[in-house]
Amino acid sequence: MFYYPSNGINFVFLLLYIVENTKVLSTKQKPMIRNFLITFSFSLLFSCQNTSISALEDPALKIEYGSGGCNFVETPTYIVNKNYVVYQDFCTHMVIYPDLASFKARNKEESAFAFDKNGMYVKGEFIKIDTSGFTFLGMNKEMDFLWKTKYKVFKNTAELKNIDVATFQPNPCKSNNGEVNDQYYKDKNFIYYFDKKTKGSDGATANTNPYDFCHDKNYIYFKGEVAIFGGEPYQYVNCDFFKTKKYVFRNGELVDDMHPDNLKALSGHYTRYNNDVYFRGNKTSMKIKNSSKVKVWTADNYDFYITDGKSIFKDGKEIDQKVDLPSFGFLSGAYCFYDKNGIYERVYNQESKKEIIEKLPFKNEEKINSKYISYNKFSGIIFYKNQAYATRTKSFYEDLTQREIAVGKAQKNDVDDFDGSNKVFIDYNFCKMYDRIYFRGKRTSFDAETFVPMDNSDQYSEDKYYKDKNVVSYCNERIRDIKKMSDIDVNSARTFNIFLIDKNFLYCKNVKIIKSAGIELLASFSGYRGGFCGLDSTPTSDFYLFKNSEGFWLVKISDKISYRFLGKVFDRKWEPSFEAINLAKKYGNNRTVAPQKKVKQEQNENKSKTIDNEVYNAVAVQIQTKYPGGIQKFYAFIKKNYVIPKEILDDESSRGGVFAKFIIEKDGSLSKIEVLHDIGYGSGKELERVLKLSPNWIPAIKDGKPVRCLYSIPYYVQ
């Protein structure tokens, strides 16, 4: 079934009943009102099924920018067209020609990567390489990517040498402001601050807890250097304490009443000072008399329970339930523990306003054997032999069959399901059960054999499409509703980026936009992104540049969907953002030239052979421009000369990216430097000043000759 406004239609029938039975209306009035209400009810029903409405034409449509400041899109993306692929990121737009039959882009945090049968693409740049063992490792704030294959480690497209590839991995840890810092990596020998090796570090003993400071057996590190206080290096204690020879620090702050010699770690978050025990830096009621009896139960980098040999403590507080210590254990992910006498759950009591312990109703003639206890974290169900307890519904089951137990252990949802319905979860919205399709628990009329979700390149989008042999439907996860798209051709319907197309039209959400014949997506732009702290209620927007058999189109996706026809020929003057677009080879630059006499054309052609003042994008040249020594040397030059404004030094929260573009001339000099986005306080002017000091680059080469080339860079002020 689909979701029609049945309440509205029922109201119409109620009015019909009143009309037929009222004595106020005349015999002539009743038929007129009856016909009106029946016509209205059918129009209401029809309007609910016909959900494919049309976009709005806006001849003045222009690209709008908010606080994002990027040229194109915030997240790297590959747009796959029929004969070519477009790669875009913050300030890059390039056309590439991979093997389309085998081309496959990655998603989520790996969206800057793509593969075909010949190798891989990193931010649009091709690398001919054996991709076996490809692993994405991470990225920094400058959008540099670390990744590896079975035999090599790379930063973007540059191979990093002298690294143990097999053991090289992220080493996330807490930064000095308490946030998780993803800049650190390690192999079996060293710790790395992104790609920079930390001299003297020991990778084998580097921390594994992401809520801990970056450290090894010897030191704590800050931005790849040994952290020092008062001329002495910090020594690691645990997640909450570190020290020097004279001082103790708790959560990064100096503690006056502790001596470093009396401080000892019991675990990641439990610490002993003299006979006192601290949990997450706070003193508890627990005392230690015999350290040999102390035991901490830990899972998933979290300390759950600790004992002094007599009592059990949770989060530094003694629990009420007396348990058998030798058989004590707990279920990771559940608020439950067990001993030989039973299985227990910690619950919050509303009357006492505190956490209490309840024994669960499992039946056992002998002592509880932990090997029979298991927990399904998806459903919240605890299993013991042929019994089960659902922690979310407080339901207890016994005498379950082996099949029922297998079904309960395998399910991936937070409901009890021991009825053998063979429920299959298609995604967050839909499941298949009893050969029927259910939408959020409600039965639908979709054909269960052919019902499938349609691929969407934007995994974060709240708009989803589904189809079976009869119909295509649109689902908005925020509204939690699904609508039939009545005008679309089911057989030819497919997704295209965030859009849906069939043999006739392009759609977004359930809105019909333009004809799909010859459709190509040339570029996308992140539009308005709102103002300060989310107080701006202006709807966000995104813009897309299309070409179809009729010409070029600009489409805006926001609270409303609108479009503008740009004409049959691509003209960069329509929009400043179009200047940096690199079109496919078949379109060239699409710059129109006024008709001239043949002799004059030949003169111009001969002249162009000797003088070429065209500004090219990186992919339009055979040999790309390059800074002497490589791009990392260029960034080192900027860092050496860039003077961070005092206001930014005083306020770390104001730090961020400064983006600029410039032209590298035929002689390698930089010209037409333009700051695209800065963070205020003169940060953009300072980058412009430093770029003017840059040594000459090696110019780009096209057809064997140096040419002018457009280049864009991000520089992160830190």
Side-chain angles (χ1 to χ4, degrees):
M1 69 178 188
F2 296 98
Y3 301 98
Y4 308 134
S6 56
N7 291 336
I9 295 175
N10 289 338
F11 179 71
V12 172
F13 283 110
L14 177 61
L15 291 178
L16 281 169
Y17 176 82
I18 295 172
V19 169
E20 295 296 331
N21 291 278
T22 183
K23 296 181 179 180
V24 177
L25 300 173
S26 67
T27 55
K28 291 184 178 181
Q29 290 174 321
K30 285 184 179 182
M32 294 175 58
I33 297 175
R34 184 193 310 123
N35 292 336
F36 170 78
L37 290 175
I38 291 173
T39 303
F40 176 74
S41 66
F42 276 107
S43 65
L44 179 62
L45 180 60
F46 179 78
S47 67
C48 298
Q49 295 192 58
N50 186 11
T51 60
S52 298
I53 59 179
S54 297
L56 303 173
E57 184 175 6
D58 182 0
L61 185 64
K62 301 284 283 185
I63 296 176
E64 306 154 7
Y65 290 103
S67 57
C70 66
N71 280 9
F72 297 105
V73 291
E74 300 101 331
T75 303
T77 184
Y78 291 86
I79 301 170
V80 181
N81 287 294
K82 184 178 179 179
N83 299 311
Y84 63 95
V85 173
V86 174
Y87 170 75
Q88 291 185 241
D89 58 31
F90 203 94
C91 54
T92 304
H93 182 286
M94 65 169 68
V95 174
I96 60 176
Y97 295 89
D99 178 76
L100 288 171
S102 60
F103 183 81
K104 181 67 175 177
R106 311 286 283 196
N107 56 21
K108 296 184 179 180
E109 69 274 5
E110 300 178 12
S111 61
F113 298 85
F115 299 83
D116 68 10
K117 68 178 184 180
N118 301 311
M120 65 180 298
Y121 295 81
V122 184
K123 296 201 287 188
E125 300 290 343
F126 177 72
I127 303 177
K128 188 174 181 59
I129 190 174
D130 178 2
T131 60
S132 301
F134 168 81
T135 304
F136 172 73
L137 299 170
M139 61 178 287
N140 60 14
K141 295 176 181 178
E142 290 81 15
M143 282 191 65
D144 294 314
F145 295 90
L146 284 183
W147 56 281
K148 69 177 183 178
T149 63
K150 188 176 181 180
Y151 304 106
K152 297 179 179 181
V153 177
F154 291 84
K155 176 182 178 182
N156 298 329
T157 58
E159 182 183 355
L160 302 180
K161 303 291 187 179
N162 302 319
I163 291 178
D164 185 76
V165 178
T167 60
F168 188 72
Q169 61 182 305
N171 186 40
C173 56
K174 188 169 64 174
S175 65
N176 63 328
N177 62 2
E179 297 179 355
V180 175
N181 189 331
D182 56 1
Q183 294 278 344
Y184 284 97
Y185 296 80
K186 66 180 179 181
D187 64 12
K188 67 178 183 179
N189 302 312
F190 295 98
I191 295 173
Y192 299 79
Y193 186 61
F194 204 64
D195 59 323
K196 178 185 176 184
K197 183 182 294 183
T198 303
K199 296 180 180 179
S201 61
D202 181 60
T205 59
N207 63 300
T208 57
N209 191 330
Y211 305 105
D212 206 350
F213 291 96
C214 182
H215 69 90
D216 59 15
K217 65 180 180 180
N218 300 313
Y219 302 113
I220 295 175
Y221 300 94
F222 177 69
K223 291 189 175 181
E225 304 290 340
V226 175
I228 294 176
F229 180 81
E232 294 182 357
Y234 288 114
Q235 299 172 19
Y236 174 76
V237 178
N238 63 7
C239 295
D240 306 305
F241 289 93
F242 49 88
K243 62 185 181 180
T244 64
K245 291 182 179 180
K246 298 179 180 179
Y247 303 102
V248 171
F249 300 84
R250 177 174 56 207
N251 297 324
E253 296 183 359
L254 182 65
V255 181
D256 295 328
D257 57 352
M258 284 185 169
H259 192 279
D261 293 341
N262 301 329
L263 192 67
K264 181 182 178 181
L266 297 174
S267 67
H269 284 293
Y270 279 105
T271 316
R272 177 180 180 178
Y273 184 73
N274 294 329
N275 293 327
D276 295 320
V277 174
Y278 288 75
F279 176 71
R280 292 188 176 274
N282 299 314
K283 190 175 180 180
T284 71
S285 60
M286 183 178 173
K287 301 285 185 181
I288 294 180
K289 295 182 179 179
N290 188 342
S291 59
S292 64
K293 295 184 178 181
V294 174
K295 180 181 178 180
V296 180
W297 285 268
T298 301
D300 302 325
N301 292 316
Y302 187 85
D303 299 327
F304 282 87
Y305 297 93
I306 185 173
T307 182
D308 58 1
K310 294 182 179 180
S311 302
I312 294 286
F313 295 78
K314 174 72 175 70
D315 296 344
K317 298 177 181 180
E318 185 176 358
I319 65 175
D320 294 335
Q321 180 71 32
K322 297 298 181 182
V323 299
D324 178 70
L325 282 175
S327 61
F328 177 84
F330 73 98
L331 302 174
S332 178
Y335 289 93
C336 301
F337 60 86
Y338 59 85
D339 64 6
K340 67 179 184 179
N341 300 311
I343 303 174
Y344 310 86
E345 182 180 20
R346 296 185 291 113
V347 296
Y348 185 78
N349 185 275
Q350 292 290 346
E351 294 181 2
S352 62
K353 304 297 181 183
K354 69 175 185 178
E355 191 176 77
I356 62 173
I357 308 297
E358 292 182 351
K359 187 175 182 179
L360 300 180
F362 287 100
K363 300 175 182 178
N364 57 298
E365 296 178 357
E366 301 176 348
K367 296 176 181 179
I368 292 288
N369 190 329
S370 61
K371 74 177 183 179
Y372 297 118
I373 302 174
S374 63
Y375 175 65
N376 184 331
K377 65 180 180 179
F378 297 103
S379 63
I381 298 177
I382 302 169
F383 297 88
Y384 182 72
K385 294 187 176 180
N386 66 338
Q387 306 167 70
Y389 177 80
T391 59
R392 295 185 177 121
T393 61
K394 310 300 180 186
S395 303
F396 179 68
Y397 304 86
E398 55 183 325
D399 298 325
L400 296 172
T401 65
Q402 290 300 314
R403 184 175 182 277
E404 288 172 330
I405 293 172
V407 169
K409 288 184 176 181
Q411 68 184 40
K412 303 290 185 182
N413 200 5
D414 60 351
V415 296
D416 306 344
D417 181 16
F418 297 103
D419 58 2
S421 62
N422 295 322
K423 183 184 292 184
V424 176
F425 290 93
I426 297 171
D427 60 12
Y428 184 77
N429 296 304
F430 289 91
C431 72
K432 180 180 178 181
M433 185 169 58
Y434 299 118
D435 295 324
R436 297 285 186 180
I437 300 297
Y438 288 78
F439 174 72
R440 297 184 179 273
K442 297 180 180 180
R443 179 176 163 179
T444 73
S445 61
F446 288 118
D447 179 74
E449 293 300 318
T450 58
F451 180 82
V452 291
M454 302 177 72
D455 291 335
N456 190 327
S457 64
D458 184 357
Q459 67 275 9
Y460 302 110
S461 174
E462 62 185 21
D463 299 316
K464 307 293 182 184
Y465 300 99
Y466 303 84
K467 75 174 183 177
D468 64 11
K469 66 179 182 180
N470 302 312
V471 66
V472 175
S473 296
Y474 159 70
C475 176
N476 183 284
E477 294 190 336
R478 178 173 53 83
I479 301 175
R480 298 192 173 189
D481 193 11
I482 185 165
K483 297 181 182 296
K484 174 183 176 181
M485 299 180 66
S486 59
D487 293 343
I488 199 164
D489 178 72
V490 177
N491 294 327
S492 61
R494 63 181 177 87
T495 54
F496 180 47
N497 198 267
I498 68 164
F499 299 89
L500 184 72
I501 61 173
D502 68 2
K503 63 181 181 180
N504 300 312
F505 290 100
L506 173 80
Y507 300 82
C508 184
K509 303 181 187 293
N510 59 328
V511 179
K512 183 190 299 182
I513 309 176
I514 58 177
K515 292 182 178 180
S516 61
I519 196 78
E520 297 176 40
L521 178 51
L522 306 181
S524 57
F525 307 85
S526 296
Y528 196 74
R529 287 296 182 263
F532 181 70
C533 293
L535 299 178
D536 188 351
S537 60
T538 305
T540 60
S541 60
D542 291 287
F543 294 81
Y544 298 85
L545 177 64
F546 284 97
K547 185 189 181 301
N548 66 5
S549 58
E550 296 177 314
F552 294 86
W553 304 80
L554 182 64
V555 175
K556 176 183 178 181
I557 308 298
S558 187
D559 58 332
K560 296 179 181 178
I561 298 177
S562 54
Y563 66 89
R564 174 189 175 189
F565 181 58
L566 302 178
K568 292 183 175 296
V569 178
F570 183 71
D571 186 351
R572 297 181 186 275
K573 295 179 181 179
W574 281 322
E575 171 70 46
S577 303
F578 290 174
E579 293 183 7
I581 291 177
N582 177 47
L583 289 181
K585 293 176 181 177
K586 60 181 178 179
Y587 300 125
N589 288 322
N590 279 311
R591 289 181 175 156
T592 57
V593 179
Q596 299 177 30
K597 292 182 180 180
K598 185 176 180 180
V599 175
K600 192 169 185 179
Q601 287 179 341
E602 291 175 352
Q603 291 175 348
N604 289 337
E605 289 172 0
N606 292 332
K607 186 177 180 181
S608 66
K609 292 179 181 180
T610 56
I611 301 175
D612 184 359
N613 288 320
E614 181 70 46
V615 177
Y616 293 91
N617 287 300
V619 294
V621 298
Q622 282 82 40
I623 300 177
Q624 295 187 11
T625 183
K626 184 179 180 181
Y627 184 81
I631 192 64
Q632 298 307 317
K633 287 284 184 71
F634 180 60
Y635 277 112
F637 161 79
I638 296 177
K639 185 175 182 179
K640 180 180 178 181
N641 291 277
Y642 191 95
V643 179
I644 301 176
K646 183 179 182 301
E647 294 85 352
I648 298 178
L649 288 172
D650 294 340
D651 180 12
E652 287 197 4
S653 64
S654 66
R655 301 187 183 186
V658 182
F659 298 84
K661 69 177 181 179
F662 47 85
I663 294 174
I664 300 171
E665 298 289 348
K666 298 176 186 179
D667 62 356
S669 62
L670 273 57
S671 69
K672 295 190 176 180
I673 299 168
E674 180 183 352
V675 175
L676 304 172
H677 173 72
D678 63 20
I679 52 177
Y681 305 116
S683 55
K685 288 289 185 182
E686 177 60 14
L687 180 59
E688 183 179 353
R689 182 191 70 82
V690 174
L691 290 176
K692 290 178 179 179
L693 301 175
S694 171
N696 284 3
W697 288 50
I698 299 170
I701 301 296
K702 180 177 173 59
D703 298 330
K705 296 180 180 180
V707 293
R708 306 170 76 201
C709 188
L710 183 67
Y711 205 88
S712 301
I713 64 160
Y715 179 69
Y716 188 78
V717 181
Q718 60 179 355

